[in-house]
Amino acid sequence: MRHRVHYYLQRNLRWSSLHFTLIDPEKQVPGRAGELARAAQDAGSHAILVGGSTGNHKEGLDATVKAIKNAVTVPVILFPGGSHGVSAHADAVFFMSMLNSQTPRYLIEEQVQAVEMIEAAGLEVLPMGYLVVEPGGKVGEVGQAKLFSREHPEEAAKYALAAQFFGMKYVYLEAGSGANAPVPLPMIHQVKQRIDVPLIVGGGIRDADTARKLIEAGADVIVTGNLVEGSIDVQKTIGEIIRDSIDQLKKKIREAA
Ligand code: 1GP
């Protein structure tokens, strides 16, 4: 059964920040991806994202999405690095445009190549403005992003507002997978001030303390990828983020209400 993902996220965001686990289908065999996703769900993660910035064998992606879908009950959302990242077996797809890309390829062309596949698969479409911040990592390189300077949060904030004006339902601030520092707090704060749609933040988040600060600055959703892949005990690492940041803040909000 497919989730109504936008509805699920809206409903959960009403009273909590969320955590998404990102799984790159190229980094492990499908069975292992299913195990990681299950452990992440058991630790409290609210959705599983599947994606990577390089191409993948279609069969590998499909098998990975199927294995994850069979292993979890939370929504499985595609986070495609291009038209190659679409699989009919997910619940939904982030239909994302890298708004600070300097090539039409990642602004609109890859997306156009995917529309028929998405339509035929009946995937729920979640329109998202994707903004890549220094250092940007591989995704910034592949996407030819004109990276947002960490010193100029106001630039990113204007782009985020533009995303909202376009009707995009989510904004994602990305520092790049494995970034040595996550998106700066003042940038999260300024972006959050300008938009009403949920703000997703990812790249370089490795511990609960960092996650808590990002959420306090205004992040609605925290995404971690490497943390799961590099971890022997997923439940512990993700569990700490959920317990020590998201749950703590939930409690604070409840107490203040
Ligand atoms: C990458 O923001 C995500 O798209 C996750 O980054 O792998 O550094 O957690 P990490």
Side-chain angles (χ1 to χ4, degrees), residues 22 79 130 172 174 176-179 202-205 223-227:
L22 171 64
F79 180 60
Y130 189 52
Y172 193 130
E174 169 75 87
S177 185
I205 304 167
V223 181
T224 62
N226 273 329
L227 192 61

Side-chain angles (χ1 to χ4, degrees), residues 22 61-62 81 88 93 122 126 137 142 148 156 167 173 180 204 207 220 232 236-237:
L22 171 64
L61 172 68
D62 281 339
V93 56
L126 308 171
V142 173
F148 290 112
L173 278 178
N180 52 12
D207 56 68
D220 296 298
I232 313 165
K236 184 167 174 287
T237 46

Side-chain angles (χ1 to χ4, degrees), residues 6 23 32 44 70 87 107 112 140 148 167 172 184 202 204 220 222 225 248 256:
H6 184 65
I23 295 184
R32 176 71 183 145
N70 284 333
S87 164
L107 283 162
V112 170
F148 290 112
Y172 193 130
D220 296 298
I222 293 291
Q248 283 300 321

